[in-house]
Structure formats: C-alpha cells, structure tokens
Amino acid sequence: MSDYDPNNIFARILRGELPCAKVFEDDHVLAFNDIHPQAPVHVLVIPKGAYISLDDFGARASDTEIAALFRAVATIARQLEIDVSGYRFLANHGTNAHQEVPHFHVHLFGGRKLGPMLSRKTTE
Ligand code: AMP
C-alpha cells in the first residue's frame, strides 16, 4: 500500500488549513458537508487518524476509532433527521470505486429517494 499523503485535502481540513462546513466533531471523527452535494444531505464522515481508505482503516485503526466512526454516522443521521426517511452510507476504496481523496471517508446521503445502489454504467 502506498504511503498516506499528509497534504491531501481532508488532512488539510483536519489541520484547519482549509475551511469546511462542519456538521459533527468528536475526539475521533470530523464530519462536514460535501462541497459538491449529490443529494439534499451529503455529508462526509472522516476519522481524525491518518488512514488512506477503508482497507487501511480496517487493518490499522483501533476498535475505538472504528466504533466512533459508525456511531458518528448514526448520530449525524439522527441529527439531520434522515433516520426515519432513510439514508445511504457509502465508502469508495481505490481505483475501481473512483476514490478521489486518499483519506478514508464515508459518504452519508439522504433527503430524497436515492434510487438503485449502483449506476448501470460500468466503464468510463
Ligand atoms: P471520493 O470519490 O469517495 O473520494 O469522494 C471525495 C468527495 O470529496 C467528493 O464527493 C468531493 O465532492 C468531496 N470534496 C472534495 N474536496 C472537498 C472539500 N474541500 N470540502 C468538502 N468536500 C470535498
């Protein structure tokens, strides 16, 4: 696995070098609105630790960090009142999933009917 890039955009947000529209923060997690929202609710939930992707997070993060991320997602969904209407929780890992930012993040989508889970388009 390649090394974590400390200058990726989410690392810079975590250091306060770039702004974000914060919706949640605790000791292990930061969550903020996606800059190009694809649904009325589109929040990115990221660990504060330096993890490249879900693969890296799953391999190296502590149980506390992993639990904190899952709890944060559920808390944010309730906070944004999409827990009853429903939401989607998605993580892109690597090239085939089109991961753009090499700091592990999950997308939380809601606020409208989200349609099928995957696009029918299989190539770019
Ligand atoms: P992914 O393709 O899973 O790596 O998703 C990266 C996401 O980060 C995209 O949905 C972008 O719109 C979002 N994004 C990139 N830069 C920023 C930023 N500065 N603030 C908030 N969201 C961002």
Side-chain angles (χ1 to χ4, degrees), residues 9-10 13 32-36 42 44 92 98-101 105 107:
I9 205 154
F10 295 168
I13 287 173
F32 48 91
N33 289 322
D34 196 291
I35 204 165
H36 298 302
H42 185 173
L44 298 171
N92 293 317
H98 207 272
Q99 180 180 0
E100 292 176 353
V101 179
H105 51 282
H107 298 254

Side-chain angles (χ1 to χ4, degrees), residues 23-87:
V23 299
F24 176 91
E25 182 170 15
D26 68 12
D27 288 348
H28 300 289
V29 175
L30 178 68
F32 48 91
N33 289 322
D34 196 291
I35 204 165
H36 298 302
Q38 296 186 40
V41 172
H42 185 173
V43 172
L44 298 171
V45 186
I46 72 174
K48 290 186 172 178
Y51 302 104
I52 298 171
S53 71
L54 178 56
D55 183 66
D56 190 23
F57 188 67
R60 295 195 300 111
S62 67
D63 291 354
T64 300
E65 290 173 296
I66 292 171
L69 191 104
F70 271 83
R71 285 195 197 286
V73 171
T75 298
I76 294 161
R78 287 194 300 272
Q79 182 182 304
L80 298 178
E81 300 182 338
I82 57 171
D83 54 317
V84 173
S85 55
Y87 56 86

